[in-house]
Amino acid sequence: MNESIEINDDETFIENVLYSNIIKNISDKFLTFKGQIEIDGEIFQDGKHKQFMKLLGFNAKTFHTIFRNMEEKSDPSNWYFTGSIFLLEDNFKEIKRSKVGRGTELLKNINEYIGENCYIPTDDNCFIKCVNYVLNKDLTNEFQNFINIFSKANRKGVMTSARINEFNKKCDITFQIYTHNNRNLRPTIVKGKIEDNYEQVWKTCRDDNAVTQVSPLELNVFSSISDAGLFAWDCETYSESETRKAIPYACTLINLEKVRKILDRINNLFPDLNPTDNVPEEFYDKLMNIVEIFVGTDCIVQMLKYLGQYDRKRLILISHNGSNFDNWIVLKNIKKLTQCPLKTPRGILSLLLSNPYTNEDLQKKWKRQKEITSNNNYLQHINFTCSYQHETSSLAAWGNSSNLPMNLRKITDIDIAKYTKDNWESLGHEWEPYAKRDTLCLASCLIKHKQVTKEVVNQNMSNNLTVPSLSFKGWYYLYNYDKEIVEEEWYETTRMVAKHTEKENVEKVYSHTNPFIRRYQTSDDLLKEEEFRQIEKYLKRTKWMKFVMY
């Protein structure tokens, strides 16, 4: 007998219900619900535990595929399920790729070449073309039948080394590929022939509308946000034993400008302080005291309320590995998304939101100043980003490589996983110093990173989400601008500031206006991949050379 289950719009807990009934009810729910469903629980058979079940982020199509395969391979008629079902509304916009073609397809073609000891086929199904040429027989139909046994999603790049062996067995042949990195065979002559027979298709392409739509490349390479609007933050969580969900119990937050001022003072008073030394206790206490901490399972809301009183219209909050953890915690704990997050395979690179707890007096002030004009919205704008996209080492390793004073580095001799739902409150005296030091360490690393990248290419994390973006804008800045240090009046004294002057008679670099063509090269090949690689190498090299004691 089918038992009807009411699935709520957020979370539904189910206990000891026939699994086939759950499948039917979820299928019915998908008729009206637009989004994704998460299942987290256990399956029992004959009263005994059978397996854990955790399925996250699947829609109606993938749901039916999963359970059709399950019914084919096993008998779930006497399975019972206990656990939770979560409904996740679609917050991400699906981007549909153009079917016209991709940039690399338009830019390069490979012409067929037949040499004395070398054969290079044209692109598209080049593997079977090589096989047919070498063996002097036509196995095209056999090859097509072979690749059709794989799902469409797995047909791209189908001829891996393992699959070539399968194809050999099917067709009774012995065809092998040796790579350029194989020390027993280095076909450098083949590599040269390939390079000689590339055709620059974009020079003669008939699709003039796609190729000739270019404009001068223009980038904004000057950051508009000061250290006063930048924060380092971190989130501490415990894992629920029933659902294994990460539940936040504390957030720490620190303003980079406040940290920089204290570090400047330490540097002036103690110029001989070594990286192996500690910051004097007086200044260490001051640094720890400016770390804000919010305790409780509503700590995200507490932090937003605190920031809502802060007289800055735009804030950037940076966490280490936020793209794969902290930003997701924020996403789970806010009531409403005002903008679509930037989600890539790297995680959530940018989570933008309007702070619903913005102080009303501040809103009136900004309205009078007309400095926030989009949709008549005078709420504070917060952007959660991730430093891990710039420094992929752990926070502890980053602090060590940055030569931070010993008592500003991450505390590593504490097991943060031991804090649970039952003991985190009583053990606050243990984890609070750890959490504060984590955020202080991150803030110090961010300040040092900003100093180096600002000096070298006038860029920093606040206006670049990833290293490639920073490298690209850095190259553009060096190509178009000169920098000099000049003296200017500042209150009753003077200070040295950087002055940026646009270079004269610089040949323009052009970029395609068609978004599906990756890159356009001028006749002098100004924009080359090698330049980007050199810039990234230079940034990494200078980071290690210049990350000395602040």
Side-chain angles (χ1 to χ4, degrees):
M1 184 176 71
N2 290 335
E3 179 182 354
S4 178
I5 305 167
E6 183 180 354
I7 299 179
N8 302 324
D9 288 339
D10 47 8
E11 178 180 353
T12 305
F13 180 74
I14 296 172
E15 186 173 7
N16 202 32
V17 175
L18 197 63
Y19 199 58
S20 57
N21 290 349
I22 295 175
I23 296 174
K24 181 181 182 304
N25 280 271
I26 292 178
S27 300
D28 294 341
K29 187 68 176 179
F30 267 128
L31 298 176
T32 57
F33 175 70
K34 300 299 182 183
Q36 300 176 335
I37 289 185
E38 175 183 347
I39 294 179
D40 191 355
E42 297 178 78
I43 291 177
F44 297 87
Q45 186 176 28
D46 299 328
K48 298 180 180 179
H49 170 78
K50 181 175 178 63
Q51 67 183 49
F52 288 105
M53 162 118 356
K54 184 173 180 63
L55 298 171
L56 173 64
F58 58 92
N59 54 28
K61 183 177 179 180
T62 54
F63 172 80
H64 290 300
T65 301
I66 290 170
F67 291 107
R68 182 171 61 250
N69 293 337
M70 185 179 291
E71 289 180 345
E72 290 176 356
K73 296 179 180 179
S74 57
D75 179 18
S77 60
N78 61 342
W79 292 6
Y80 288 83
F81 176 80
T82 296
S84 297
I85 297 176
F86 305 90
L87 299 190
L88 310 172
E89 292 186 4
D90 281 338
N91 287 317
F92 302 99
K93 297 177 183 177
E94 181 179 359
I95 299 176
K96 294 184 179 180
R97 186 72 184 263
S98 168
K99 295 181 180 179
V100 174
R102 302 183 181 183
T104 52
E105 294 170 353
L106 248 129
L107 288 174
K108 297 285 186 181
N109 271 352
I110 300 177
N111 296 329
E112 185 180 44
Y113 172 81
I114 301 177
E116 183 177 354
N117 296 305
C118 174
Y119 172 70
I120 303 172
T122 58
D123 53 359
D124 192 20
N125 290 328
C126 55
F127 170 78
I128 192 59
K129 291 177 182 177
C130 286
V131 172
N132 291 342
Y133 180 82
V134 172
L135 300 180
N136 197 23
K137 62 170 71 172
D138 189 359
L139 297 177
T140 306
N141 290 334
E142 289 82 352
F143 173 75
Q144 191 62 49
N145 293 334
F146 175 73
I147 66 172
N148 285 341
I149 68 176
F150 301 102
S151 65
K152 288 184 178 180
N154 291 327
R155 288 178 192 172
K156 183 178 179 182
V158 64
M159 295 316 290
T160 61
S161 297
R163 289 175 180 174
I164 289 175
N165 289 333
E166 294 181 32
F167 183 70
N168 285 342
K169 294 177 182 178
K170 183 178 179 64
C171 297
D172 192 24
I173 59 176
T174 55
F175 197 88
Q176 294 293 326
I177 291 180
Y178 291 87
T179 65
H180 180 64
N181 292 328
N182 190 308
R183 295 191 176 188
N184 296 323
L185 181 62
R186 289 184 175 271
T188 54
I189 186 173
V190 176
K191 180 175 181 290
K193 293 295 185 183
I194 292 176
E195 291 174 348
D196 293 341
N197 285 274
Y198 263 113
E199 178 187 359
Q200 298 269 5
V201 178
W202 58 267
K203 288 184 178 179
T204 58
C205 180
R206 296 177 182 177
D207 188 4
D208 293 334
N209 290 333
V211 177
T212 61
Q213 294 174 5
V214 296
S215 63
L217 178 66
E218 294 183 359
L219 298 175
N220 179 15
V221 293
F222 298 103
S223 176
S224 60
I225 189 166
S226 68
D227 285 350
L230 299 178
F231 289 82
W233 83 286
D234 191 23
C235 184
E236 305 300 334
T237 65
Y238 65 82
S239 179
E240 277 191 339
S241 57
E242 300 86 4
T243 63
R244 299 188 294 282
K245 289 174 61 177
I247 306 299
Y249 61 84
C251 287
T252 46
L253 180 75
I254 191 168
N255 181 257
L256 295 195
E257 186 175 58
K258 293 181 180 179
V259 178
R260 179 178 53 79
K261 287 181 178 179
I262 296 178
L263 291 180
D264 279 340
R265 191 176 174 193
I266 294 172
N267 188 48
N268 292 331
L269 293 175
F270 308 98
D272 298 326
L273 193 68
N274 295 315
T276 55
D277 298 333
N278 286 330
V279 167
E281 187 174 352
E282 174 190 355
F283 292 95
Y284 176 75
D285 292 340
K286 288 182 179 180
L287 287 167
M288 291 292 279
N289 287 336
I290 63 174
V291 181
E292 302 291 341
I293 185 165
F294 311 95
V295 180
T297 53
D298 64 338
C299 56
I300 300 292
V301 173
Q302 292 181 44
M303 182 174 69
L304 294 177
K305 288 181 177 179
Y306 170 82
L307 293 172
Q309 307 297 317
Y310 193 75
D311 191 4
R312 286 280 169 173
K313 295 171 285 299
R314 291 174 178 83
L315 304 177
I316 296 178
L317 271 62
I318 306 173
S319 57
H320 201 54
N321 199 27
S323 57
N324 290 310
F325 187 74
D326 302 84
N327 292 350
W328 291 94
I329 299 298
V330 176
L331 186 64
K332 287 281 189 178
N333 286 271
I334 56 177
K335 295 180 180 179
K336 183 181 179 180
L337 272 179
T338 53
Q339 297 188 51
C340 184
L342 176 57
K343 164 71 172 64
T344 74
R346 296 183 179 187
I348 299 180
L349 302 187
S350 172
L351 177 60
L352 289 161
L353 59 88
S354 298
N355 190 352
Y357 306 103
T358 307
N359 181 278
E360 291 185 2
D361 291 336
L362 290 177
Q363 293 186 52
K364 294 176 182 178
K365 174 185 173 183
W366 299 336
K367 185 176 182 179
R368 289 193 300 269
Q369 295 173 343
K370 301 289 185 183
E371 293 196 26
I372 296 183
T373 58
S374 58
N375 301 323
N376 295 321
N377 183 354
Y378 297 95
L379 297 178
Q380 185 182 61
H381 296 169
I382 302 178
N383 188 8
F384 292 87
T385 63
C386 175
S387 60
Y388 192 77
Q389 303 304 320
H390 295 263
E391 178 56 60
T392 56
S393 60
S394 67
L395 183 57
W398 192 9
N400 294 338
S401 66
S402 298
N403 285 333
L404 296 181
M406 295 304 294
N407 57 349
L408 295 188
R409 302 184 189 186
K410 179 182 174 70
I411 299 174
T412 57
D413 58 349
I414 187 170
D415 181 16
I416 196 66
K418 75 176 184 179
Y419 302 114
T420 65
K421 180 180 180 180
D422 299 323
N423 66 13
W424 70 265
E425 289 184 90
S426 60
L427 297 178
H429 61 284
E430 292 184 8
W431 57 259
E432 280 193 21
Y434 163 86
K436 283 189 171 185
R437 267 277 286 277
D438 252 24
T439 310
L440 183 56
C441 175
L442 174 59
S444 303
C445 290
L446 291 174
I447 291 170
K448 287 211 163 187
H449 185 278
K450 180 179 179 179
Q451 285 181 329
V452 173
T453 55
K454 195 78 173 176
E455 178 184 345
V456 177
V457 289
N458 196 50
Q459 296 299 305
N460 58 72
M461 288 189 198
S462 65
N463 59 331
N464 295 281
L465 294 178
T466 62
V467 165
S469 173
L470 189 147
S471 300
F472 185 40
K473 287 187 178 180
W475 167 83
Y476 184 89
Y477 170 79
L478 295 174
Y479 183 76
N480 289 281
Y481 293 92
D482 285 320
K483 183 175 75 170
E484 59 178 331
I485 306 299
V486 298
E487 186 178 19
E488 72 170 13
E489 293 184 0
W490 189 62
Y491 294 103
E492 297 180 356
T493 181
T494 60
R495 64 175 180 177
M496 306 303 291
V497 297
K499 181 181 178 181
H500 311 282
T501 307
E502 192 168 357
K503 295 179 181 178
E504 297 180 358
N505 302 322
V506 175
E507 186 171 354
K508 288 290 185 181
V509 176
Y510 290 84
S511 174
H512 273 283
T513 56
N514 187 315
F516 301 110
I517 298 181
R518 307 285 185 191
R519 187 179 79 247
Y520 176 79
Q521 291 181 303
T522 66
S523 58
D524 292 328
D525 292 334
L526 295 174
L527 199 56
K528 295 182 178 179
E529 290 183 3
E530 181 62 26
E531 293 186 40
F532 292 102
R533 286 196 291 269
Q534 292 301 327
I535 290 169
E536 288 195 35
K537 288 179 182 178
Y538 180 56
L539 287 176
K540 290 178 179 178
R541 185 169 67 250
T542 53
K543 179 187 74 172
W544 291 105
M545 290 172 60
K546 296 189 178 183
F547 268 1
V548 294
M549 172 57 198
Y550 187 89

